[in-house]
Amino acid sequence: MTEPAGSHRDGWLLYHSVGMFPGQEEAVRAALETFASQWCRPDLGRWDYGLQARQRVLDDWARLVGAPAGTVFAAENVTEAFAGFVGALGRERLAGRRILIAADCFPSLHFMLAGIAPVLGFTLDTVPLAQDAAYVSDDEFIARWDDGVALAIVTWVTSTASRRADLTRLAAHGRAQGSLIAVDITQGAGILDFDVARPAVDFVATTTLKWLCGAPGTGLGYVNPALLDAALAPLVQGWFSQPDPFNWDLARFSLAPDARRFDSGTPSFLPYIASGPGLAWRLAADAAALRAHNLRLAHRLMAICDAKGYRLRSPREDERRGASVMAELPAHVDPRALEVSLALQGILADTRGATIRFSPGVLTTSAALDRLAALLPDA
């Protein structure tokens, strides 16, 4: 599962930010070299190659999350994917109602929603963090979720505590309220099992950048096929939103019947080509023991934090925690200085305020955690 101890990648604990897998550099370089040779050939095949490479990534992601054909689409990032879906719901579904989100969501989603709320006429209802709390609980989220909520946006795994939401419970509550349910799976996609139909939700988005070991610029969206009717019309449309992108008759535009309607102008290829090797690796047999390896190291990380006297911000129970372990640094430790000192010893972690974030993946070794235990200051 891992590279030999002492590898310069064996202390990579940043899978919550950027993922790595064995042989990644060589695989990505080969994919990009193939793109260069295909794109620069003096023939008419370059567009077919690019579109097929992009579609292969979409198909692999659909396979990973159990999405039916025609229900997934590409975006530059998670924020753009969510903006496309929320905009497509339109004033008819949203005006005078609420979109519910928790304060421990990824901030970019909140910034986007706050910006378009006046345009679409909804109220953005943010469930606050309780004083000194590391995350918003399911109970707190449900307490604000009534039949005035048109859309609830659930963060499956939070980026500052690795707290995992109980999607089965939340989805059951949401259906009883008549709400649509959207899920940001960015911090769990590729390391935790996820199926768009268990429980059934209306929208899902992620990026390939983290546990899927891809490149920035590769956002992925899923739309429940029951919503793909004529009323779900993206605010931004273009020539690739059509069934036939090569229809240039201005009077004959129509939206694609499937999730391709969320395409707009000329699509981007390079991020998807660079992300293809990561998804292919994740779907291969070599990744079968990934979660077990992650859990072993996560348990060790929690033990290290306990021994150092750090307060855990992540839940201890495996079923309530994502794939990361996050803890609160003592007041006398400068977070940025600690990041730098750890990196000099080959341990790559990061901080958000006083929270230090550890995410062990396929390349992380037990030997690296031995070094981490020796380097971390006591509380």
Side-chain angles (χ1 to χ4, degrees):
M1 283 291 296
T2 57
E3 293 189 346
S7 160
H8 69 288
R9 293 178 174 86
D10 77 326
W12 191 258
L13 289 162
L14 288 171
Y15 284 81
H16 57 266
S17 181
V18 176
M20 298 175 111
F21 66 92
Q24 180 182 29
E25 185 175 344
E26 295 79 5
V28 172
R29 181 178 288 110
L32 294 176
E33 287 178 352
T34 300
F35 168 78
S37 63
Q38 291 288 333
W39 188 254
C40 296
R41 289 173 60 180
D43 60 25
L44 302 177
R46 65 184 67 193
W47 288 102
D48 289 339
Y49 163 77
L51 289 169
Q52 289 166 8
R54 179 176 179 261
Q55 187 61 47
R56 194 155 46 244
V57 170
L58 290 171
D59 291 344
D60 281 350
W61 185 63
R63 176 182 161 198
L64 188 67
V65 299
T71 62
V72 299
F73 67 92
E76 184 176 353
N77 50 54
V78 172
T79 305
E80 183 181 88
F82 267 94
F85 175 68
V86 174
L89 293 176
R91 291 186 64 89
E92 182 178 345
R93 282 185 170 105
L94 298 177
R97 304 190 70 196
R98 288 156 43 225
I99 289 184
L100 188 68
I101 197 167
D104 57 354
C105 66
F106 189 63
S108 186
L109 291 184
H110 200 278
F111 301 153
M112 177 273 294
L113 292 165
I116 65 172
V119 177
L120 296 175
F122 64 83
T123 298
L124 181 57
D125 186 0
T126 307
V127 183
L129 278 164
Q131 187 173 2
D132 296 327
Y135 48 81
V136 174
S137 70
D138 290 339
D139 288 341
E140 291 168 317
F141 199 73
I142 285 173
R144 294 278 278 270
W145 192 345
D146 56 27
D147 61 7
V149 173
L151 171 68
I153 296 178
V154 177
T155 303
W156 185 31
V157 177
T158 66
S159 62
T160 52
S162 197
R163 200 280 302 199
R164 191 189 335 181
D166 184 344
L167 285 184
T168 300
R169 180 188 176 200
L170 292 172
H173 177 81
R175 294 305 180 206
Q177 308 309 312
S179 306
L180 295 173
I181 303 163
V183 189
D184 176 359
I185 67 169
T186 300
Q187 289 293 340
I191 184 68
L192 305 176
D193 291 336
F194 183 87
D195 190 315
V196 297
R198 296 190 179 96
V201 294
D202 299 298
F203 179 76
V204 176
T206 187
T207 173
T208 65
L209 186 56
K210 303 175 190 299
W211 297 97
L212 289 173
C213 303
T218 318
L220 301 165
Y222 157 82
V223 182
N224 190 321
L227 290 177
L228 288 170
D229 56 27
L232 193 72
L235 294 176
V236 179
Q237 302 169 8
W239 68 311
F240 264 79
S241 307
Q242 306 178 97
D244 174 16
F246 295 95
N247 163 49
W248 287 9
D249 184 341
L250 300 185
R252 201 165 53 84
F253 177 86
S254 64
L255 287 171
D258 57 15
R260 287 192 309 108
R261 68 182 64 186
F262 287 94
D263 283 347
S264 55
T266 305
S268 174
F269 297 152
L270 269 175
Y272 290 84
I273 288 166
S275 294
L279 267 164
W281 175 83
R282 175 58 185 83
L283 289 167
D286 287 350
L290 183 61
R291 176 58 171 160
H293 176 72
N294 166 262
L295 282 173
R296 283 193 298 271
L297 297 187
H299 295 161
R300 176 80 193 287
L301 283 162
M302 287 190 287
I304 291 171
C305 290
D306 289 342
K308 296 292 179 180
Y310 294 3
R311 173 195 171 204
L312 279 183
R313 295 185 63 84
S314 304
R316 291 184 181 273
E317 304 89 347
D318 292 342
E319 68 276 6
R320 295 182 59 235
R321 190 184 65 254
S324 307
V325 172
M326 301 178 184
E328 187 174 319
L329 291 171
H332 66 84
V333 174
D334 181 313
R336 178 58 183 156
L338 178 61
E339 279 185 36
V340 172
S341 65
L342 291 176
L344 290 173
Q345 301 300 319
I347 304 296
L348 284 302
D350 69 7
T351 58
R352 289 294 181 268
T355 299
I356 189 164
R357 306 193 296 176
F358 304 115
S359 298
V362 61
L363 296 183
T364 320
T365 66
S366 295
L369 298 196
D370 291 340
R371 302 202 307 275
L372 174 67
L375 293 166
L376 283 177
D378 292 333

